[in-house]
Amino acid sequence: MPELTYREAVRDTLATAMREDEDVFIMGEDIAEMGGSMGVTQGLVDEFGPERVRNTPISEMAIVGAGIGAAMQGMRPVVEIMYEDFLTLSLEQIVNQAAKHRYMSGGQLKVPLTIRTQGGAGWSPGAQHAQQLEAWLVHIPGLKVVFASTPEDVRGLLWSSIYDDNPVIFFEHRTLYGIKANVPDELEPIPLGRARVHREGEDVTVIATGRLVHESLAAAEEAEKEGVSVEVVDPRTLQPLDEDTLVGSVKKTNRAVVAHEAVTRMGFGAEVAAVLQFQAFDWLDAPIERVGAKFVPLPFAPVMEEFVVPHAEDVLEAIRRTVGRS
């Protein structure tokens, strides 16, 4: 099994899809010669040329709109929005167009559009280049939302996103691009809507997304030293959500912590907590704990950024509270 970084896994999936299917092409700001702001698409223009690796004007509305049109004509475009924050500039196209056409046409139209975007704190990008907005998109019927946390998952989930006949918002976290993992020689699709149990445990379930998956695994290691057995589950797909796996884990452990980097108020964890409360209320032995960023625009200063966003210690404290050790 080759070792790939998260960045290389994304690039490998895009290249494999483009080699096998002429209907797949990518476009976005500076994605060709520059390889995108994070170097994810570096080198692809050399193999596939500027027709299939298209630089675009600086207009997120136009990028997504063109992608929608191409998708409805039978192609499978993958468009890149340079920073997750800039999704806000294309929300009309995403929310009112991409998400609605298949339903409003009675299934006559398909919109197999994948929108890749990256965000997240960890490098002092400031308040306009690091927001985590996944909860905004989960709220929209007609969209699918994916947030991969490992190289092996990003490969299989991106492939399934490209070949889904519905629009998919595919979130990546910039601080994960450099992490490495062994991945299968052959690209193995991962069905959308299937969670992954990263670590088995008996005392408390931590449900985490993105960077917080890794922070939660670190917290689980520390909790084990204190005699607490922690199960860590990554939903991977936020919509559709694998409720069965999440609920089944909590019914086993009887306690739950939900963790994400987005602000806690109205974050995706609130929906997970509601699902668990409704479906596993009789199994819960403690209130559901929520871990997220503080309700403030992300500060530029590194020390303040570290203070605002959650880390392994925050997850560990939530674990301790839910098992009555804090």
Side-chain angles (χ1 to χ4, degrees), residues 54-72:
R54 289 177 170 251
N55 284 331
T56 66
I58 303 175
S59 172
E60 285 72 20
M61 180 82 79
I63 297 167
V64 174
I68 295 170
M72 290 196 299

Side-chain angles (χ1 to χ4, degrees), residues 135 258-260 263-277 288 290:
V258 292
H260 51 64
V263 293
T264 308
R265 178 62 57 88
M266 295 296 290
F268 178 70
E271 175 65 19
V272 173
V275 168
L276 298 178
Q277 187 277 146
I288 299 167
R290 295 169 60 196

